[in-house]
Amino acid sequence: MDKDDKDEKPPVKTATFGATMKAVFWSFFGVRKRRDYEHDAANLNPIHVIVGGLIGVALFIGILVVVVRMVVAKS
C-alpha cells in the first residue's frame, strides 16, 4: 500500500434534486436538525438549491393567490 493511498478521501456524493427539494421544503419551515444541515451543506449542489428555492417560492405565491381569490370570491 502506497503512502498516497492513505491520504485519499472517498469521493463526496452529491445529493439528488429530490433530496435538495426536501431540504428546501424543510428550510421554508425553519425546521432542520444540525446534523442534517451539516450533511446538506456538504452535499447539496448550489444550483439545485437555487432552482429548488425558486420553485418553492413560486408554489408559495401560487397557493397564496388561490387562497386570496377564494376568500374574495366568497365576500
Side-chain angles (χ1 to χ4, degrees), residues 14-35:
T14 58
T16 64
F17 187 71
T20 302
M21 287 303 296
K22 179 181 171 189
V24 169
F25 172 75
W26 284 113
S27 70
F28 268 83
F29 292 107
V31 181
R32 204 75 180 138
K33 292 181 181 176
R34 182 177 183 89
R35 175 179 47 102

